[in-house]
């Protein structure tokens, strides 16, 4: 039996992780380049990772859910969800983050 399928999946997983990381970096640069669209940052501590585009923070003594504007990753039951969640965990897991709202998006969404 060939190992080609396993090798191909590993390469695909790496590619997905790279794409997610690049998307998050791009969002950072966009937020820095467009200060008129973004409000002042609020510091918070990440308490858990929900999936590749959502995490929970401790903010003013309360746990709040944070979704990253403009990022849509696979949900828990979809292909590559584990990889997207792992990428988010490596970027912000248990770290202090600075939250910024987008004036065009509002503070809350329907999810």
């Amino acid at each position: 039996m060939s190992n080609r399928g396993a090798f191909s999946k590993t390469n695909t997983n790496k590619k997905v992780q790279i794409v997610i990381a690049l998307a998050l970096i791009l969002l950072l640069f966009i937020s820095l380049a467009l200060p008129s669209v973004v409000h002042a940052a609020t510091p918070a501590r990440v308490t858990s990772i929900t999936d590749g585009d959502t995490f929970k923070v401790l903010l003013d003594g309360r746990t709040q859910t944070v979704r990253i504007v403009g990022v849509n990753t696979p949900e828990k039951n979809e292909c590559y969800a584990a990889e997207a969640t792992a990428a988010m965990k490596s970027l912000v897991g248990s770290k202090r983050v600075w939250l910024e709202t987008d004036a065009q998006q509002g503070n809350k969404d329907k999810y």
Side-chain angles (χ1 to χ4, degrees), residues 7-36:
F7 180 75
S8 177
K9 184 175 181 182
T10 301
N11 284 342
T12 301
N13 291 344
K14 290 284 187 192
K15 289 177 185 175
V16 169
Q17 290 174 346
I18 290 169
V19 167
I20 291 169
L22 289 174
L24 291 172
I25 291 168
L26 178 63
L27 283 173
L28 174 65
F29 285 122
I30 290 171
S31 69
L32 293 174
L34 301 172
S36 62

Side-chain angles (χ1 to χ4, degrees), residues 27 30-32 34-43 59 64-70 97-109:
L27 283 173
I30 290 171
S31 69
L32 293 174
L34 301 172
S36 62
V37 175
V38 181
H39 298 280
T42 303
L59 182 63
Q64 300 284 327
T65 300
V66 176
R67 289 193 63 236
I68 299 177
V69 174
V97 295
W98 286 261
L99 305 175
E100 298 179 350
T101 58
D102 183 333
Q104 296 175 344
Q105 297 288 324
N107 290 339
K108 305 276 184 183
D109 68 7

Side-chain angles (χ1 to χ4, degrees), residues 22-93:
L22 289 174
L24 291 172
I25 291 168
L26 178 63
L27 283 173
L28 174 65
F29 285 122
I30 290 171
S31 69
L32 293 174
L34 301 172
S36 62
V37 175
V38 181
H39 298 280
T42 303
R45 172 71 59 188
V46 176
T47 59
S48 65
I49 306 299
T50 306
D51 58 27
D53 56 18
T54 309
F55 54 92
K56 295 189 184 296
V57 297
L58 186 59
L59 182 63
D60 297 329
R62 295 179 35 219
T63 300
Q64 300 284 327
T65 300
V66 176
R67 289 193 63 236
I68 299 177
V69 174
V71 174
N72 186 17
T73 62
E75 300 302 320
K76 290 182 180 181
N77 60 342
E78 297 176 342
C79 293
Y80 302 110
E83 291 83 359
T85 302
M88 178 62 75
K89 187 174 185 178
S90 72
L91 292 169
V92 300

